[in-house]
Amino acid sequence: MVNLLFNTTQKPNSFSSIHTQAKVVEVVLFEINPGYSKKEAEKALSSFNDVIKLYYGFVERITASNEDGRYIDIIYWSDIDSAKSSAIDIKNNKEATAIFSIIKPESIQMYHFDTFNRFEE
């Protein structure tokens, strides 16, 4: 199968190619509203993949949680303008706002970071 994105007949190392494209890392820390189970939260948050993947500049998304009920969403973007404009636009996206209803608004902390170092072994 030909991979048109990289103009090669071999599948590229996805970790390497993804992180080479990413110039900005968006980190969002948050908690879930009371009344939702961890399983319900994970299902809702995973469904956000279908929304975020459509935004220009999106590269990759990782979501994780800890035993204290805190969540982290790490989104890799190709550039800061894409990250910031997507964050603004998502507030008006009906699908996204429905998903975000499980998040405790006052717990949200969002940061954008410019990448300066990558290391793979």
Side-chain angles (χ1 to χ4, degrees):
M1 179 174 182
V2 176
N3 185 328
L4 298 177
L5 181 61
F6 296 97
N7 195 22
T8 179
T9 55
Q10 294 183 349
K11 185 176 179 183
N13 175 330
S14 61
F15 179 82
S16 178
S17 63
I18 284 173
H19 288 80
T20 300
Q21 295 173 7
K23 303 290 185 216
V24 173
V25 180
E26 178 178 285
V27 176
V28 184
L29 304 167
F30 58 92
E31 296 174 16
I32 299 301
N33 279 317
Y36 290 96
S37 69
K38 183 175 181 172
K39 190 171 189 162
E40 290 171 320
E42 289 176 358
K43 183 177 179 183
L45 294 169
S46 294
S47 71
F48 183 61
N49 294 341
D50 292 333
V51 175
I52 195 72
K53 72 181 183 183
L54 302 175
Y55 280 87
Y56 181 82
F58 171 78
V59 177
E60 180 185 19
R61 176 177 183 241
I62 300 168
T63 309
S65 64
N66 68 12
E67 66 259 3
D68 295 332
R70 292 191 177 106
Y71 289 77
I72 186 169
D73 207 357
I74 304 168
I75 303 174
Y76 296 91
W77 295 95
S78 61
D79 59 276
I80 191 65
D81 291 335
S82 295
K84 288 185 175 184
S85 65
S86 296
I88 292 168
D89 189 69
I90 283 172
K91 293 177 185 177
N92 299 316
N93 182 301
K94 290 180 183 178
E95 234 182 306
T97 54
I99 294 165
F100 294 160
S101 68
I102 68 163
I103 297 174
K104 196 185 302 183
E106 65 274 12
S107 71
I108 298 172
Q109 299 174 51
M110 178 188 274
Y111 307 95
H112 290 104
F113 300 92
D114 294 321
T115 60
F116 66 89
N117 182 47
R118 286 183 188 83
F119 176 75
E120 295 180 46
E121 195 167 55

